[in-house]
Amino acid sequence: MTPELILLIFRVISGLLLLGFLGGLAWLIYRDMQVTAAAMVEQERPYGRLRIIANETEHPAVNTTYPLMPITSIGRAASNNIVLPDGFASAEHALITRRQGQWWLEDQGSRNGTLLNDVVLEGTAVISSGDMIAVGGTVLKLEL
């Protein structure tokens, strides 16, 4: 065997190994993207809803429903999931989160407080279907 032939074989084998490595890397990236896409679809799936049952303002109307996501923010600011144009609601009034299979309601330091079943919420509390959450002049019912 001539040195040129040995060098050619070495180059071909090196090229095939490099292509195999890049192909394996592309396959791993593709699988990771599939898993991430499935997780995002699961996260975007609503778990229930919040229904407005009483409101001192005209907007939003009574019986308006909002999907309940794993993290749902309630307040006057446009950045919230549920925007309540109520003068008694804080910009970031309350937060509903899903942790360890349970729903938690947390007041975000609002000036007028958050009521859970007509009781002032202190810190965080576990909530369940049928609970009434009062934010400003708006009362929302949790429907899971």
Side-chain angles (χ1 to χ4, degrees):
M1 288 188 137
T2 64
E4 291 84 17
L5 182 61
I6 293 173
L7 190 58
L8 177 65
I9 292 172
F10 180 71
R11 286 180 180 171
V12 169
I13 291 172
S14 298
L16 290 175
L17 286 173
L18 182 61
L19 285 175
F21 174 74
L22 291 175
L25 193 60
W27 182 79
L28 287 174
I29 291 171
Y30 173 74
R31 291 290 299 149
D32 186 54
M33 287 175 54
Q34 283 184 325
V35 169
T36 303
M40 288 178 66
V41 166
E42 178 67 22
Q43 185 178 16
E44 293 296 321
R45 179 179 62 88
Y47 290 87
R49 62 183 173 214
L50 289 168
R51 178 182 305 274
I52 294 181
I53 60 170
N55 195 357
E56 292 179 1
T57 62
E58 295 178 13
H59 180 72
V62 173
N63 284 327
T64 301
T65 60
Y66 297 96
L68 190 60
M69 305 309 265
I71 299 175
T72 304
S73 58
I74 305 170
R76 197 174 62 237
S79 60
N80 291 297
N81 298 96
I82 300 175
V83 179
L84 301 175
D86 184 343
F88 293 105
S90 297
E92 294 174 359
H93 198 99
L95 187 66
I96 298 174
T97 55
R98 183 164 174 81
R99 289 182 267 160
Q100 300 170 348
Q102 293 182 317
W103 290 99
W104 293 79
L105 174 65
E106 178 181 0
D107 184 76
Q108 297 289 293
S110 63
R111 176 181 280 176
N112 295 318
T114 303
L115 299 178
L116 175 60
N117 297 323
D118 294 325
V119 177
V120 176
L121 180 65
E122 305 267 340
T124 61
V126 175
I127 55 176
S128 58
S129 187
D131 282 346
M132 304 293 180
I133 302 166
V135 175
T138 306
V139 180
L140 301 134
K141 181 179 181 181
L142 181 65
E143 298 174 348
L144 299 176

